[in-house]
Coordinates of all heavy atoms in Angstrom, one line a residue:
Q1 N -146.2 -95.8 -17.0 CA -145.7 -95.2 -18.2 C -146.5 -95.7 -19.5 O -146.6 -95.0 -20.4 CB -144.2 -95.6 -18.3 CG -143.4 -94.9 -17.2 CD -143.4 -93.4 -17.2 OE1 -143.7 -92.8 -18.2 NE2 -143.2 -92.8 -16.0
Y2 N -146.8 -97.0 -19.4 CA -147.6 -97.6 -20.5 C -148.9 -96.8 -20.8 O -149.2 -96.5 -21.9 CB -148.0 -99.0 -20.3 CG -146.9 -100.0 -20.5 CD1 -146.4 -100.7 -19.5 CD2 -146.4 -100.2 -21.8 CE1 -145.4 -101.7 -19.7 CE2 -145.4 -101.2 -22.0 CZ -144.8 -101.9 -20.9 OH -143.9 -102.8 -21.2
Q3 N -149.6 -96.4 -19.7 CA -150.8 -95.7 -19.8 C -150.6 -94.4 -20.5 O -151.4 -94.0 -21.4 CB -151.5 -95.6 -18.4 CG -152.9 -95.1 -18.5 CD -153.9 -96.1 -19.2 OE1 -153.8 -97.3 -19.0 NE2 -154.8 -95.6 -20.0
K4 N -149.6 -93.6 -20.1 CA -149.3 -92.4 -20.7 C -148.9 -92.5 -22.2 O -149.4 -91.8 -23.0 CB -148.2 -91.6 -19.9 CG -147.9 -90.3 -20.4 CD -149.1 -89.4 -20.2 CE -148.8 -87.9 -20.7 NZ -150.0 -87.1 -20.6
G5 N -148.1 -93.5 -22.4 CA -147.7 -93.8 -23.9 C -149.0 -94.1 -24.7 O -149.1 -93.7 -25.8
L6 N -149.8 -94.9 -24.1 CA -151.1 -95.3 -24.8 C -151.9 -94.1 -25.1 O -152.4 -93.9 -26.3 CB -151.8 -96.3 -23.9 CG -153.2 -96.8 -24.5 CD1 -153.0 -97.4 -25.9 CD2 -153.8 -97.7 -23.5
E7 N -152.1 -93.2 -24.2 CA -152.9 -92.0 -24.5 C -152.3 -91.1 -25.6 O -153.1 -90.6 -26.4 CB -152.9 -91.2 -23.2 CG -153.8 -91.8 -22.1 CD -153.6 -91.1 -20.7 OE1 -153.1 -90.0 -20.7 OE2 -154.1 -91.6 -19.7
I8 N -151.0 -91.0 -25.6 CA -150.3 -90.2 -26.6 C -150.5 -90.9 -28.0 O -150.9 -90.2 -28.9 CB -148.9 -90.0 -26.3 CG1 -148.7 -89.1 -25.1 CG2 -148.1 -89.4 -27.5 CD1 -147.3 -89.1 -24.5
W9 N -150.3 -92.2 -28.1 CA -150.4 -92.9 -29.4 C -151.8 -92.8 -29.8 O -152.0 -92.7 -31.0 CB -149.9 -94.3 -29.2 CG -148.4 -94.4 -29.6 CD1 -147.4 -94.2 -28.7 CD2 -147.8 -94.6 -30.8 NE1 -146.2 -94.3 -29.4 CE2 -146.4 -94.6 -30.7 CE3 -148.4 -94.9 -32.1 CZ2 -145.6 -94.8 -31.7 CZ3 -147.5 -95.1 -33.1 CH2 -146.1 -95.0 -33.0
L10 N -152.8 -93.0 -29.0 CA -154.2 -92.9 -29.4 C -154.5 -91.5 -30.0 O -155.2 -91.5 -31.0 CB -155.1 -93.2 -28.2 CG -155.2 -94.7 -27.8 CD1 -155.9 -94.9 -26.5 CD2 -155.9 -95.5 -28.9
Q11 N -154.0 -90.5 -29.4 CA -154.2 -89.1 -29.9 C -153.6 -88.9 -31.3 O -154.2 -88.4 -32.2 CB -153.7 -88.1 -28.9 CG -154.5 -88.0 -27.7 CD -153.9 -87.0 -26.7 OE1 -152.7 -86.6 -26.9 NE2 -154.6 -86.7 -25.7
V12 N -152.4 -89.5 -31.5 CA -151.6 -89.2 -32.7 C -152.0 -90.2 -33.8 O -152.2 -89.7 -34.9 CB -150.1 -89.4 -32.4 CG1 -149.3 -89.2 -33.7 CG2 -149.6 -88.3 -31.4
H13 N -152.1 -91.5 -33.5 CA -152.3 -92.5 -34.6 C -153.7 -93.1 -34.6 O -154.0 -93.9 -35.5 CB -151.3 -93.6 -34.4 CG -149.9 -93.1 -34.6 ND1 -149.4 -92.7 -35.8 CD2 -148.8 -92.8 -33.7 CE1 -148.1 -92.2 -35.6 NE2 -147.8 -92.3 -34.4
G14 N -154.5 -92.9 -33.6 CA -155.8 -93.6 -33.5 C -155.6 -95.0 -32.9 O -154.6 -95.4 -32.6
S15 N -156.7 -95.7 -32.8 CA -156.8 -97.0 -32.2 C -156.4 -98.1 -33.0 O -156.3 -99.3 -32.5 CB -158.1 -97.2 -31.5 OG -159.1 -97.3 -32.6
E16 N -156.2 -98.0 -34.3 CA -156.0 -99.1 -35.2 C -154.5 -99.1 -35.7 O -154.2 -99.3 -36.8 CB -156.9 -99.0 -36.4 CG -158.3 -99.3 -35.9 CD -159.3 -99.2 -37.1 OE1 -158.9 -98.9 -38.2 OE2 -160.6 -99.4 -36.8
H17 N -153.6 -99.0 -34.8 CA -152.2 -99.0 -35.1 C -151.6 -100.2 -34.3 O -151.9 -100.4 -33.1 CB -151.5 -97.7 -34.7 CG -150.2 -97.6 -35.2 ND1 -149.1 -98.1 -34.6 CD2 -149.7 -96.8 -36.3 CE1 -148.0 -97.8 -35.3 NE2 -148.3 -97.0 -36.3
H18 N -150.7 -100.9 -34.9 CA -150.1 -102.1 -34.2 C -149.4 -101.7 -32.9 O -149.3 -102.5 -32.0 CB -149.2 -102.9 -35.2 CG -147.9 -102.2 -35.6 ND1 -146.8 -102.3 -34.8 CD2 -147.6 -101.3 -36.6 CE1 -145.8 -101.5 -35.4 NE2 -146.3 -101.0 -36.4
Y19 N -148.7 -100.6 -32.9 CA -148.0 -100.2 -31.7 C -149.0 -99.9 -30.5 O -148.7 -100.2 -29.3 CB -147.1 -98.9 -31.9 CG -146.2 -98.7 -30.8 CD1 -145.1 -99.6 -30.6 CD2 -146.4 -97.7 -29.8 CE1 -144.2 -99.4 -29.5 CE2 -145.5 -97.6 -28.8 CZ -144.4 -98.4 -28.6 OH -143.5 -98.2 -27.5
V20 N -150.2 -99.4 -30.8 CA -151.2 -99.2 -29.8 C -151.6 -100.6 -29.2 O -151.8 -100.7 -28.0 CB -152.5 -98.5 -30.4 CG1 -153.6 -98.5 -29.4 CG2 -152.1 -97.1 -30.8
A21 N -151.7 -101.6 -30.0 CA -152.0 -103.0 -29.5 C -150.9 -103.4 -28.6 O -151.2 -104.0 -27.5 CB -152.0 -103.9 -30.7
S22 N -149.6 -103.1 -28.8 CA -148.5 -103.5 -28.0 C -148.6 -102.7 -26.6 O -148.3 -103.3 -25.6 CB -147.2 -103.2 -28.6 OG -147.0 -104.0 -29.8
L23 N -149.0 -101.5 -26.7 CA -149.2 -100.7 -25.4 C -150.3 -101.3 -24.6 O -150.2 -101.4 -23.4 CB -149.5 -99.2 -25.7 CG -148.2 -98.5 -26.3 CD1 -148.6 -97.1 -26.8 CD2 -147.1 -98.4 -25.2
Y24 N -151.4 -101.7 -25.2 CA -152.5 -102.3 -24.5 C -152.0 -103.6 -23.8 O -152.4 -103.9 -22.7 CB -153.7 -102.7 -25.4 CG -154.7 -101.5 -25.6 CD1 -155.0 -101.1 -26.9 CD2 -155.3 -100.9 -24.6 CE1 -155.9 -100.1 -27.2 CE2 -156.2 -99.8 -24.8 CZ -156.5 -99.5 -26.1 OH -157.4 -98.5 -26.4
A25 N -151.2 -104.4 -24.6 CA -150.7 -105.6 -24.0 C -149.7 -105.3 -22.8 O -149.7 -106.0 -21.8 CB -149.9 -106.4 -25.1
G26 N -149.0 -104.2 -22.9 CA -148.1 -103.8 -21.7 C -148.9 -103.4 -20.6 O -148.5 -103.9 -19.4
V27 N -150.0 -102.7 -20.7 CA -150.9 -102.3 -19.6 C -151.5 -103.6 -19.0 O -151.5 -103.8 -17.8 CB -152.0 -101.4 -20.0 CG1 -153.0 -101.1 -18.9 CG2 -151.4 -100.0 -20.5
G28 N -151.9 -104.5 -19.9 CA -152.4 -105.8 -19.5 C -151.4 -106.6 -18.6 O -151.7 -107.2 -17.6
G29 N -150.2 -106.5 -19.1 CA -149.1 -107.3 -18.3 C -148.9 -106.7 -16.9 O -148.7 -107.5 -16.0
V30 N -149.0 -105.4 -16.8 CA -148.9 -104.8 -15.5 C -150.1 -105.3 -14.6 O -149.9 -105.7 -13.4 CB -148.8 -103.3 -15.6 CG1 -148.9 -102.6 -14.2 CG2 -147.6 -102.8 -16.3
Y31 N -151.3 -105.2 -15.1 CA -152.4 -105.7 -14.4 C -152.3 -107.2 -14.0 O -152.6 -107.6 -12.9 CB -153.7 -105.5 -15.1 CG -154.2 -104.1 -15.1 CD1 -154.7 -103.5 -16.3 CD2 -154.2 -103.3 -14.0 CE1 -155.2 -102.2 -16.3 CE2 -154.8 -102.0 -14.0 CZ -155.2 -101.5 -15.2 OH -155.7 -100.1 -15.2
N32 N -151.8 -107.9 -14.9 CA -151.6 -109.4 -14.7 C -150.6 -109.6 -13.5 O -150.8 -110.4 -12.6 CB -151.1 -110.0 -16.0 CG -151.0 -111.5 -15.9 OD1 -151.7 -112.1 -15.0 ND2 -150.4 -112.2 -16.8
A33 N -149.5 -108.8 -13.6 CA -148.5 -109.0 -12.5 C -149.0 -108.5 -11.1 O -148.6 -109.1 -10.1 CB -147.3 -108.2 -12.9
Q34 N -150.0 -107.6 -11.1 CA -150.6 -107.2 -9.9 C -151.7 -108.1 -9.4 O -152.3 -107.8 -8.4 CB -151.1 -105.7 -10.1 CG -150.1 -104.7 -10.4 CD -150.7 -103.3 -10.6 OE1 -151.8 -103.2 -11.2 NE2 -150.0 -102.3 -10.3
G35 N -152.0 -109.0 -10.2 CA -153.1 -110.0 -9.8 C -154.5 -109.4 -10.1 O -155.6 -109.9 -9.7
K36 N -154.6 -108.4 -11.0 CA -155.8 -107.7 -11.4 C -156.2 -108.3 -12.7 O -156.1 -107.8 -13.8 CB -155.7 -106.2 -11.5 CG -155.3 -105.5 -10.2 CD -155.1 -104.1 -10.4 CE -154.8 -103.4 -9.1 NZ -154.5 -102.0 -9.2
Y37 N -156.7 -109.6 -12.6 CA -156.9 -110.4 -13.8 C -158.0 -109.9 -14.7 O -157.8 -110.0 -16.0 CB -157.1 -111.8 -13.4 CG -156.0 -112.4 -12.6 CD1 -156.1 -113.0 -11.4 CD2 -154.6 -112.3 -13.1 CE1 -155.0 -113.5 -10.7 CE2 -153.6 -112.8 -12.4 CZ -153.8 -113.4 -11.2 OH -152.7 -113.9 -10.5
E38 N -159.1 -109.4 -14.2 CA -160.2 -108.9 -15.1 C -159.7 -107.7 -15.9 O -160.0 -107.6 -17.1 CB -161.4 -108.6 -14.3 CG -162.1 -109.8 -13.6 CD -162.4 -110.9 -14.7 OE1 -162.9 -110.6 -15.8 OE2 -162.2 -112.1 -14.4
E39 N -158.9 -106.8 -15.2 CA -158.5 -105.6 -15.9 C -157.4 -106.1 -17.0 O -157.4 -105.5 -18.1 CB -157.8 -104.7 -14.9 CG -158.8 -104.0 -14.0 CD -158.9 -104.7 -12.7 OE1 -158.8 -105.9 -12.6 OE2 -159.3 -104.0 -11.7
A40 N -156.6 -107.1 -16.7 CA -155.6 -107.6 -17.6 C -156.3 -108.1 -18.8 O -156.0 -107.9 -19.9 CB -154.8 -108.7 -16.9
L41 N -157.4 -108.9 -18.6 CA -158.2 -109.4 -19.7 C -158.7 -108.4 -20.6 O -158.7 -108.6 -21.9 CB -159.3 -110.4 -19.2 CG -158.8 -111.7 -18.7 CD1 -160.0 -112.5 -18.1 CD2 -158.2 -112.6 -19.8
V42 N -159.2 -107.3 -20.1 CA -159.8 -106.3 -20.9 C -158.7 -105.7 -21.8 O -158.9 -105.5 -23.0 CB -160.4 -105.1 -20.0 CG1 -160.7 -103.9 -20.8 CG2 -161.6 -105.6 -19.3
Q43 N -157.5 -105.4 -21.2 CA -156.4 -104.8 -22.0 C -155.9 -105.8 -23.1 O -155.6 -105.4 -24.2 CB -155.3 -104.4 -21.0 CG -155.7 -103.4 -20.1 CD -156.2 -102.1 -20.7 OE1 -155.6 -101.5 -21.6 NE2 -157.4 -101.6 -20.2
Y44 N -155.7 -107.1 -22.7 CA -155.3 -108.1 -23.6 C -156.3 -108.3 -24.7 O -155.9 -108.5 -25.9 CB -155.0 -109.4 -22.9 CG -153.8 -109.5 -22.1 CD1 -153.8 -110.3 -21.0 CD2 -152.6 -108.8 -22.4 CE1 -152.6 -110.4 -20.2 CE2 -151.5 -108.9 -21.7 CZ -151.5 -109.7 -20.5 OH -150.3 -109.8 -19.7
Q45 N -157.6 -108.2 -24.4 CA -158.6 -108.4 -25.5 C -158.5 -107.2 -26.5 O -158.7 -107.4 -27.7 CB -160.0 -108.5 -24.9 CG -161.1 -108.8 -25.8 CD -160.8 -110.2 -26.5 OE1 -160.5 -111.2 -25.8 NE2 -161.1 -110.3 -27.7
K46 N -158.3 -106.0 -26.0 CA -158.2 -104.8 -26.9 C -157.0 -105.1 -27.8 O -157.0 -104.7 -29.0 CB -158.0 -103.5 -26.1 CG -159.3 -103.1 -25.4 CD -159.1 -101.8 -24.5 CE -160.3 -101.4 -23.8 NZ -160.0 -100.2 -23.0
S47 N -155.9 -105.5 -27.2 CA -154.7 -105.7 -28.0 C -154.9 -106.8 -29.1 O -154.5 -106.6 -30.2 CB -153.6 -106.2 -27.1 OG -152.4 -106.6 -27.7
L48 N -155.6 -107.9 -28.7 CA -155.9 -108.9 -29.6 C -156.8 -108.4 -30.8 O -156.4 -108.7 -32.0 CB -156.6 -110.1 -28.9 CG -157.1 -111.2 -29.8 CD1 -156.0 -111.8 -30.6 CD2 -157.9 -112.2 -29.1
E49 N -157.8 -107.6 -30.5 CA -158.6 -107.1 -31.5 C -157.9 -106.3 -32.6 O -158.1 -106.5 -33.7 CB -159.8 -106.3 -30.9 CG -160.8 -107.2 -30.1 CD -161.8 -106.5 -29.3 OE1 -161.9 -105.2 -29.5 OE2 -162.6 -107.1 -28.6
I50 N -157.1 -105.4 -32.1 CA -156.3 -104.6 -33.0 C -155.3 -105.5 -33.8 O -155.2 -105.3 -35.0 CB -155.5 -103.5 -32.2 CG1 -156.5 -102.5 -31.5 CG2 -154.5 -102.7 -33.1 CD1 -155.8 -101.6 -30.5
K51 N -154.6 -106.4 -33.1 CA -153.7 -107.2 -33.9 C -154.4 -108.0 -35.0 O -153.8 -108.2 -36.1 CB -152.9 -108.1 -32.9 CG -151.9 -107.3 -32.0 CD -151.3 -108.2 -31.0 CE -150.3 -107.3 -30.2 NZ -149.6 -108.1 -29.2
L52 N -155.5 -108.5 -34.6 CA -156.3 -109.3 -35.6 C -156.6 -108.4 -36.8 O -156.5 -108.8 -38.0 CB -157.5 -109.9 -35.1 CG -157.4 -111.1 -34.2 CD1 -158.7 -111.5 -33.4 CD2 -156.9 -112.3 -35.1
W53 N -157.1 -107.2 -36.5 CA -157.5 -106.3 -37.6 C -156.3 -105.8 -38.4 O -156.4 -105.9 -39.7 CB -158.1 -105.1 -36.9 CG -158.5 -104.0 -37.9 CD1 -157.8 -102.8 -38.2 CD2 -159.7 -104.0 -38.9 NE1 -158.5 -102.1 -39.1 CE2 -159.6 -102.8 -39.6 CE3 -160.7 -104.9 -39.0 CZ2 -160.5 -102.5 -40.5 CZ3 -161.6 -104.6 -40.0 CH2 -161.5 -103.4 -40.7
V54 N -155.2 -105.5 -37.8 CA -154.0 -104.9 -38.5 C -153.1 -106.0 -39.1 O -152.6 -105.8 -40.2 CB -153.3 -104.0 -37.6 CG1 -152.0 -103.4 -38.2 CG2 -154.2 -102.8 -37.1
L55 N -152.9 -107.0 -38.3 CA -151.8 -107.9 -38.7 C -152.4 -109.3 -39.3 O -151.6 -110.0 -40.0 CB -151.0 -108.4 -37.5 CG -150.3 -107.1 -36.8 CD1 -149.6 -107.6 -35.5 CD2 -149.3 -106.5 -37.7
G56 N -153.6 -109.6 -39.1 CA -154.2 -110.8 -39.5 C -154.1 -112.0 -38.5 O -153.2 -112.0 -37.7
S57 N -154.9 -113.0 -38.7 CA -155.0 -114.1 -37.7 C -153.7 -115.0 -37.7 O -153.5 -115.7 -36.8 CB -156.2 -114.9 -38.0 OG -156.2 -115.5 -39.3
E58 N -152.9 -114.9 -38.7 CA -151.8 -115.9 -38.8 C -150.5 -115.2 -38.3 O -149.4 -115.9 -38.3 CB -151.6 -116.4 -40.2 CG -152.8 -117.1 -40.8 CD -153.1 -118.4 -39.9 OE1 -152.2 -119.1 -39.6 OE2 -154.2 -118.6 -39.7
H59 N -150.5 -114.0 -37.8 CA -149.3 -113.3 -37.4 C -148.8 -113.8 -36.0 O -149.7 -114.0 -35.2 CB -149.5 -111.8 -37.4 CG -148.3 -111.0 -37.4 ND1 -147.6 -110.8 -36.2 CD2 -147.6 -110.4 -38.3 CE1 -146.5 -110.1 -36.5 NE2 -146.5 -109.8 -37.8
P60 N -147.5 -113.9 -35.8 CA -147.0 -114.4 -34.5 C -147.5 -113.5 -33.3 O -147.7 -114.0 -32.2 CB -145.5 -114.4 -34.7 CG -145.3 -114.4 -36.1 CD -146.5 -113.8 -36.8
H61 N -147.6 -112.2 -33.6 CA -148.1 -111.3 -32.5 C -149.5 -111.6 -32.0 O -149.8 -111.5 -30.9 CB -147.9 -109.9 -32.9 CG -146.5 -109.4 -33.0 ND1 -146.0 -108.3 -32.5 CD2 -145.5 -110.0 -33.7 CE1 -144.8 -108.2 -32.7 NE2 -144.4 -109.2 -33.5
V62 N -150.3 -112.1 -33.0 CA -151.7 -112.5 -32.6 C -151.6 -113.8 -31.7 O -152.3 -113.9 -30.7 CB -152.5 -112.8 -33.9 CG1 -153.8 -113.4 -33.5 CG2 -152.7 -111.5 -34.7
A63 N -150.7 -114.7 -32.1 CA -150.5 -115.9 -31.2 C -150.1 -115.5 -29.8 O -150.5 -116.1 -28.8 CB -149.4 -116.8 -31.8
R64 N -149.2 -114.5 -29.7 CA -148.8 -114.1 -28.4 C -150.0 -113.5 -27.6 O -150.1 -113.6 -26.4 CB -147.6 -113.0 -28.5 CG -147.1 -112.6 -27.2 CD -145.9 -111.6 -27.3 NE -144.9 -112.1 -28.1 CZ -144.3 -111.3 -29.1 NH1 -144.6 -110.1 -29.2 NH2 -143.4 -111.8 -29.8
A65 N -150.8 -112.7 -28.3 CA -152.0 -112.1 -27.6 C -152.9 -113.3 -27.1 O -153.4 -113.1 -25.9 CB -152.8 -111.3 -28.6
Y66 N -153.1 -114.3 -27.8 CA -153.9 -115.4 -27.3 C -153.2 -116.1 -26.2 O -153.9 -116.5 -25.2 CB -154.2 -116.5 -28.4 CG -155.2 -116.2 -29.4 CD1 -154.9 -116.1 -30.8 CD2 -156.6 -115.9 -29.1 CE1 -155.9 -115.8 -31.8 CE2 -157.5 -115.5 -30.0 CZ -157.2 -115.5 -31.3 OH -158.1 -115.2 -32.2
N67 N -152.0 -116.2 -26.2 CA -151.2 -116.8 -25.1 C -151.4 -115.9 -23.8 O -151.5 -116.5 -22.7 CB -149.7 -116.9 -25.4 CG -149.0 -117.6 -24.4 OD1 -149.1 -118.7 -24.0 ND2 -148.0 -116.8 -23.8
N68 N -151.3 -114.6 -24.0 CA -151.5 -113.7 -22.8 C -152.8 -113.9 -22.1 O -152.9 -114.0 -20.9 CB -151.3 -112.2 -23.2 CG -149.9 -111.9 -23.5 OD1 -148.9 -112.5 -23.2 ND2 -149.8 -110.8 -24.3
I69 N -153.8 -114.0 -23.0 CA -155.2 -114.2 -22.4 C -155.3 -115.6 -21.7 O -155.9 -115.7 -20.7 CB -156.2 -114.1 -23.6 CG1 -156.3 -112.7 -24.1 CG2 -157.6 -114.5 -23.1 CD1 -157.0 -112.4 -25.3
G70 N -154.7 -116.6 -22.4 CA -154.7 -118.0 -21.9 C -154.0 -118.0 -20.4 O -154.5 -118.7 -19.5
T71 N -152.9 -117.3 -20.3 CA -152.2 -117.3 -19.1 C -153.0 -116.7 -18.0 O -153.0 -117.2 -16.8 CB -150.9 -116.5 -19.3 OG1 -150.1 -117.2 -20.3 CG2 -150.1 -116.4 -18.0
V72 N -153.7 -115.6 -18.3 CA -154.6 -115.0 -17.2 C -155.7 -116.0 -16.8 O -155.9 -116.2 -15.6 CB -155.2 -113.7 -17.7 CG1 -156.3 -113.2 -16.7 CG2 -154.2 -112.6 -18.0
Y73 N -156.3 -116.7 -17.8 CA -157.3 -117.7 -17.4 C -156.8 -118.8 -16.6 O -157.3 -119.2 -15.6 CB -158.0 -118.2 -18.7 CG -159.0 -117.4 -19.3 CD1 -159.0 -117.2 -20.7 CD2 -160.0 -116.6 -18.5 CE1 -160.0 -116.4 -21.3 CE2 -160.9 -115.8 -19.2 CZ -160.9 -115.7 -20.5 OH -161.9 -114.9 -21.1
Q74 N -155.5 -119.2 -16.9 CA -154.9 -120.2 -16.1 C -154.6 -119.8 -14.7 O -154.9 -120.5 -13.7 CB -153.5 -120.6 -16.8 CG -152.8 -121.7 -16.2 CD -151.6 -122.1 -16.9 OE1 -151.4 -121.6 -18.0 NE2 -150.7 -122.9 -16.3
K75 N -154.2 -118.5 -14.5 CA -153.9 -118.0 -13.2 C -155.3 -117.9 -12.4 O -155.3 -118.0 -11.2 CB -153.3 -116.7 -13.3 CG -151.8 -116.7 -13.7 CD -151.2 -115.3 -13.7 CE -149.8 -115.3 -14.0 NZ -149.2 -114.0 -14.0
Q76 N -156.4 -117.7 -13.1 CA -157.7 -117.7 -12.4 C -158.3 -119.1 -12.1 O -159.3 -119.1 -11.6 CB -158.7 -116.9 -13.3 CG -158.4 -115.5 -13.4 CD -159.4 -114.7 -14.3 OE1 -159.7 -115.2 -15.4 NE2 -160.0 -113.6 -13.9
G77 N -157.6 -120.1 -12.6 CA -158.1 -121.4 -12.4 C -159.1 -121.8 -13.4 O -159.8 -122.8 -13.3
K78 N -159.3 -121.0 -14.5 CA -160.2 -121.3 -15.6 C -159.5 -122.1 -16.7 O -159.2 -121.6 -17.7 CB -160.8 -120.0 -16.1 CG -161.6 -119.2 -15.1 CD -162.1 -117.9 -15.7 CE -162.9 -117.1 -14.5 NZ -163.3 -115.8 -15.1
Y79 N -159.2 -123.4 -16.4 CA -158.3 -124.2 -17.2 C -158.9 -124.5 -18.6 O -158.1 -124.5 -19.6 CB -157.9 -125.4 -16.5 CG -157.2 -125.1 -15.1 CD1 -157.8 -125.5 -13.9 CD2 -156.1 -124.4 -15.2 CE1 -157.2 -125.1 -12.7 CE2 -155.4 -124.1 -14.0 CZ -156.0 -124.5 -12.8 OH -155.4 -124.1 -11.6
E80 N -160.2 -124.7 -18.7 CA -160.8 -125.0 -20.1 C -160.7 -123.7 -20.9 O -160.3 -123.9 -22.1 CB -162.2 -125.4 -19.9 CG -162.4 -126.8 -19.2 CD -161.8 -127.9 -20.1 OE1 -161.9 -127.9 -21.3 OE2 -161.2 -128.8 -19.4
E81 N -160.9 -122.5 -20.4 CA -160.8 -121.4 -21.1 C -159.4 -121.1 -21.5 O -159.1 -120.6 -22.6 CB -161.4 -120.2 -20.4 CG -162.9 -120.3 -20.2 CD -163.5 -119.2 -19.4 OE1 -163.3 -118.0 -19.7 OE2 -164.2 -119.5 -18.3
A82 N -158.5 -121.4 -20.6 CA -157.0 -121.1 -20.9 C -156.6 -122.1 -22.0 O -155.9 -121.6 -22.9 CB -156.2 -121.5 -19.6
L83 N -157.0 -123.4 -21.9 CA -156.6 -124.3 -23.0 C -157.1 -123.8 -24.4 O -156.4 -123.9 -25.3 CB -157.2 -125.6 -22.6 CG -156.7 -126.8 -23.5 CD1 -155.2 -126.9 -23.6 CD2 -157.4 -128.1 -23.1
L84 N -158.4 -123.3 -24.4 CA -158.9 -122.9 -25.7 C -158.1 -121.7 -26.3 O -157.8 -121.7 -27.5 CB -160.4 -122.4 -25.5 CG -161.4 -123.5 -25.3 CD1 -162.8 -122.8 -24.9 CD2 -161.5 -124.4 -26.5
Q85 N -157.7 -120.8 -25.4 CA -156.8 -119.7 -25.9 C -155.4 -120.2 -26.3 O -155.0 -119.7 -27.4 CB -156.7 -118.6 -24.7 CG -158.0 -117.9 -24.4 CD -158.7 -117.2 -25.5 OE1 -158.0 -116.5 -26.2 NE2 -159.9 -117.5 -25.7
H86 N -154.9 -121.0 -25.6 CA -153.5 -121.5 -25.9 C -153.5 -122.3 -27.2 O -152.6 -122.4 -27.9 CB -152.9 -122.3 -24.8 CG -152.5 -121.6 -23.6 ND1 -151.6 -120.5 -23.7 CD2 -152.9 -121.6 -22.3 CE1 -151.4 -119.9 -22.5 NE2 -152.2 -120.6 -21.6
Q87 N -154.7 -123.0 -27.6 CA -154.8 -123.8 -28.8 C -155.1 -123.0 -30.0 O -154.9 -123.5 -31.1 CB -155.9 -124.8 -28.6 CG -155.4 -125.9 -27.6 CD -156.6 -126.9 -27.3 OE1 -157.8 -126.6 -27.5 NE2 -156.2 -128.1 -26.9
K88 N -155.4 -121.7 -29.9 CA -155.7 -120.9 -31.1 C -154.4 -120.5 -31.9 O -153.3 -120.5 -31.3 CB -156.4 -119.6 -30.6 CG -157.8 -119.9 -30.2 CD -158.6 -118.6 -29.9 CE -160.0 -119.0 -29.4 NZ -160.8 -117.8 -29.2

């Protein structure tokens, strides 16, 4: 459902809308739960880029995006990269 919602929002609002960032994060969460970590990282990174652009670096949703990326790295055993993300 996230993917369909994402397609609709992209058509209507374009890629620089905060809700689109949330949909990318949702898709990333599904991939993360499935153990598809590389796919999850791609989606989480897209979400982060939009959130940084739209909301700014100090917004709590940006912190959540970094946390999502860090969690994936942690699950992959990439602890240094995970720590870097969690510290942002």
Side-chain angles (χ1 to χ4, degrees):
Q1 296 300 335
Y2 281 114
Q3 191 65 40
K4 185 64 176 171
L6 178 59
E7 292 170 11
I8 293 168
W9 270 87
L10 284 170
Q11 289 175 350
V12 174
H13 297 288
S15 62
E16 295 177 356
H17 192 280
H18 68 88
Y19 193 72
V20 172
S22 295
L23 290 170
Y24 277 124
V27 173
V30 172
Y31 283 137
N32 190 16
Q34 293 175 330
K36 297 178 180 178
Y37 301 126
E38 293 304 319
E39 291 94 334
L41 285 172
V42 168
Q43 299 302 310
Y44 285 149
Q45 188 64 40
K46 288 179 183 180
S47 175
L48 173 62
E49 289 171 7
I50 295 169
K51 289 177 180 180
L52 283 168
W53 176 258
V54 174
L55 302 173
S57 62
E58 299 300 316
H59 197 280
H61 290 231
V62 172
R64 185 178 307 138
Y66 282 122
N67 183 65
N68 288 339
I69 293 169
T71 299
V72 173
Y73 284 137
Q74 185 175 349
K75 287 182 177 180
Q76 291 179 310
K78 298 177 180 178
Y79 301 114
E80 292 297 322
E81 292 176 56
L83 186 59
L84 288 173
Q85 296 299 314
H86 287 304
Q87 289 176 333
K88 290 184 179 183

